Amino acid sequence: MANRNVAANSSFERTSLASLDQKLAMAKRCSHEGVMAGAKAAVVASIATAIPTLASARMLPWARANLNHTAQALIISTAYYGTVAGAAYFIVADKTVLATARKNSFNPPSNA
């Protein structure tokens, strides 16, 4: 029983636990950066697709004649916001996480 306590407090285990905590903190930071970059890309993509879609749904003669305002709004919101924003979020978040992880793998953290 006493040997187990001595082994648990060895310098090797303390070093490996500190290294594991450091890696966990780095992974959290990488994922947070990915989430923030993905969210920004989703907002930009939504705005970039909403403006031309809104203009076309409101200005095309066929759409104005055959679709009421509710149908035009549903076309705009359903077709473009969800698809484009979701795709932009996942693509940019994935690329950001991978780039951050790659950068950190070439620059290992110091053991100080």
Side-chain angles (χ1 to χ4, degrees), residues 24-40 89 92-94 96-98 100-101 104:
L24 182 62
M26 191 178 304
K28 285 183 180 180
R29 192 184 77 231
C30 288
S31 63
H32 180 71
E33 287 179 18
V35 167
M36 294 306 293
K40 288 177 186 176
Y89 174 83
V92 171
D94 184 50
T96 303
V97 168
L98 289 175
T100 308
N104 290 332

Side-chain angles (χ1 to χ4, degrees), residues 45-100:
S46 294
I47 292 170
T49 57
I51 292 170
T53 306
L54 179 64
S56 65
R58 300 284 182 183
M59 293 180 187
L60 288 176
W62 181 88
R64 291 187 71 194
N66 295 314
L67 300 173
N68 63 15
H69 293 291
T70 305
Q72 292 174 12
L74 284 174
I75 289 170
I76 293 165
S77 64
T78 307
Y80 289 97
Y81 291 149
T83 306
V84 174
Y89 174 83
F90 284 111
I91 291 169
V92 171
D94 184 50
K95 286 185 175 226
T96 303
V97 168
L98 289 175
T100 308

Side-chain angles (χ1 to χ4, degrees), residues 7-30:
N9 292 327
S10 69
S11 63
F12 177 73
E13 279 205 23
R14 281 192 301 258
T15 304
S16 64
L17 287 176
S19 175
L20 187 61
D21 287 341
Q22 197 170 21
K23 288 179 183 178
L24 182 62
M26 191 178 304
K28 285 183 180 180
R29 192 184 77 231
C30 288

